Amino acid sequence: MAENTVLVIGGGAAGMMAAGQAAAGGARVFLIEKNDRLGRKLAISGKGRCNITNDKPISDFCACYPGNGRFLQGILHEFDNVRLRSFLAGYGVETKVERGGRVFPVAGEAESVVRALSKFLAAAGVEVKLGQAAEAVIAVGGKVRGVRVAGGRTYPGKAVIVCTGGATYPATGSSGDGYRFAQDLGHRVISPRPALVSLRTAEGWVSELQGLSLRNVAVTLKVDGRAQASDLGEMLFTHFGVSGPLVLTLSRLAGDALRQGKRVKLEVNLKPGLNPEQLDRRLQRDFSQAANKQFKNALNALLPQSLIPVIIRLAGIDPDKVVHQVTRNERRSLAALLQSLPLTVSGTLPLAAAIVTAGGVDVKTIDPKTMASKSVQGLYWAGEVVDVDGVTGGYNLQAAFAMGYRAGRAAGRYAQGSV
């Protein structure tokens, strides 16, 4: 066994942070990455802009993780959003806050974050091994001994930190290897499933709206007719259904309900800033100004152009009808539709297309104070491989960095015999 040596499997956000922290504490560190470069998934996150974290108070973060937020409480406080932004600034990445508290690099490039972490690794003396796929974590007598990679080579080490990611975007290297390592070492793995993922819908008219983005709308998720969650923000229509931040946030609950055989619907409020009476007055005003126009030409100030024919069809109002002939009941039916546009959720996109994986190594098998395995000495976990997932808005990367920070420091101390 190589004393003083920490082996980190996976060169993503959690892995790079863990490796650098372990090395900065004095351990010898090897970072083992199957790809030919570090941070491949990180480099494409946030549509290539990298939503690093969120600006809200760290005490409010745990509520933003539907997957085991309480497990993260102390972890997030140790390496919070303020410390993360300060850390990145120290390596040349200044950050800015955008809508919804989302934090991005000022340069608008996810690659700048990868470069900063690479500088951190170099400064700390981490030995990076690219193009080497880990095949197994070697443990004897309940203690870690090293890592075997493809081709048969074994790296001996006193501590191993598994940061292999989830099962999303497998082309970037996140192909679920860590789950296999966990099961081989006797750890329970909660079945992986998509957390932040686009939804398929049954309505044929949705494809007519492909590419339409709606801002400042409210979406309510209903399961078997009962409202389960609601949020305000932005959504996007696609050729298969709906996507965008609002939908992604609700998708975990929707997917879980569908897997249980329940009926799942979305109701879109296109005018959430108005109560029903205010919306009716708005319609009356608009109709008064367009009294002699055909109904199909009277909604331009109210709705995006591509949405108008769909709404008219769903409202059941003759598009050629002169506006002053629209009845009060028709107007009120239109108003109700505008505030509860129904969508039937028929499924989610597959796990490989999700942004984040729900499920993973059971947090009950991990000590949150160190990220160490409770059953295998010298084994640590960090990042998306752990059964932790957050909503959209920077929370998942913050969790990955914070878990990597804690695991790296703890594994480094262990490898040097100081714990």
Side-chain angles (χ1 to χ4, degrees), residues 26 44 80 86 91-92 109 114 128 194 212 240 255-256 279 303 413:
I44 63 172
D80 63 14
S86 177
Y91 289 93
E109 295 179 355
V114 178
V128 178
L212 174 63
F240 55 80
D256 287 348
L279 178 57
L303 296 169
R413 291 193 298 268

Side-chain angles (χ1 to χ4, degrees), residues 58-59 62 68-78 406:
I58 201 68
S59 57
C62 286
N68 294 310
R70 291 178 69 184
F71 174 82
L72 290 173
Q73 189 166 4
I75 298 165
L76 291 170
H77 277 83
E78 181 180 17
R406 179 164 282 191

Side-chain angles (χ1 to χ4, degrees), residues 241-399:
V242 286
S243 188
L246 266 182
V247 172
L248 295 176
T249 295
L250 297 172
S251 64
R252 189 185 196 274
L253 283 173
D256 287 348
L258 287 170
R259 279 183 285 276
Q260 294 168 23
K262 298 180 179 179
R263 292 178 293 108
V264 180
K265 287 185 175 289
L266 299 178
E267 285 188 356
V268 183
N269 186 342
L270 299 167
K271 300 295 174 183
L274 303 175
N275 63 35
E277 292 75 22
Q278 290 170 328
L279 178 57
D280 188 54
R281 288 197 295 270
R282 162 73 189 273
L283 288 175
Q284 290 184 60
R285 186 174 68 249
D286 287 0
F287 284 8
S288 175
Q289 293 171 353
N292 295 315
K293 290 184 177 181
Q294 290 178 307
F295 180 61
K296 63 186 178 185
N297 297 321
L299 301 178
N300 294 324
L302 190 70
L303 296 169
Q305 190 63 41
S306 60
L307 187 55
I308 292 173
V310 171
I311 291 295
I312 290 176
R313 212 160 58 238
L314 294 175
I317 301 173
D318 181 357
D320 296 322
K321 195 173 196 176
V322 178
V323 170
H324 68 75
Q325 294 177 338
V326 174
T327 68
R328 177 173 153 185
N329 284 342
E330 286 176 328
R331 188 186 72 239
R332 290 188 169 177
S333 293
L334 172 64
L337 178 65
L338 293 175
Q339 295 200 304
S340 58
L341 180 64
L343 289 164
T344 305
V345 180
S346 58
T348 72
L349 289 192
L351 180 55
I355 295 174
V356 170
T357 306
V361 180
D362 190 347
V363 296
K364 293 177 182 177
T365 68
I366 301 171
D367 181 355
K369 295 179 181 178
T370 59
M371 299 305 296
S373 163
K374 291 180 178 179
S375 57
V376 179
Q377 200 170 331
L379 178 63
Y380 299 79
W381 307 91
E384 199 178 345
V385 70
V386 179
D387 181 22
V388 169
D389 61 277
V391 299
T392 184
Y395 302 102
N396 288 289
L397 272 180
Q398 175 67 54

